[in-house]
């Protein structure tokens, strides 16, 4: 059987990847679905949050959406 902590880590990694891919592709509905299920909006495992990445890449609509959802950076 799978140890529960391993399952949670795998699930968290998958959620993180899904959140980043959704952001990179500006899939706002997918971002909302993940946030509504508890994914932390300011998650920054890779050293930068999705908001900072959006700002750095001049993705205004994405940055505005994240701010409306409560992102702090």
């Amino acid at each position: 059987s799978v140890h529960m902590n391993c399952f949670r880590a795998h699930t968290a990694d998958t959620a993180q990847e899904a959140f980043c891919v959704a952001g990179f592709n500006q899939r706002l509905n997918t971002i909302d679905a993940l946030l509504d299920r508890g994914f932390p909006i300011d998650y920054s495992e890779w050293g930068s949050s999705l908001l900072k990445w959006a700002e750095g890449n001049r993705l205004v609509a994405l940055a505005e959406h994240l701010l409306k959802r409560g992102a702090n950076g």
Side-chain angles (χ1 to χ4, degrees), residues 1 7 9 11 15 26 29 37 41 43 45 47-48 55 64 71:
S1 78
F7 178 72
T11 303
Q26 300 185 60
N29 290 337
R37 286 165 182 78
I41 195 165
Y43 190 83
E45 178 69 24
S48 182
E55 291 171 341
E64 287 177 344

Side-chain angles (χ1 to χ4, degrees), residues 36-52:
D36 291 345
R37 286 165 182 78
F39 190 81
I41 195 165
D42 291 318
Y43 190 83
S44 61
E45 178 69 24
W46 295 326
S48 182
S49 68
L50 187 56
L51 175 60
K52 293 298 180 191

Side-chain angles (χ1 to χ4, degrees), residues 53-69:
W53 180 84
E55 291 171 341
N57 287 282
R58 299 180 183 171
L59 299 174
V60 176
L62 176 58
E64 287 177 344
H65 186 77
L66 292 168
L67 288 168
K68 286 178 188 173
R69 288 296 310 250

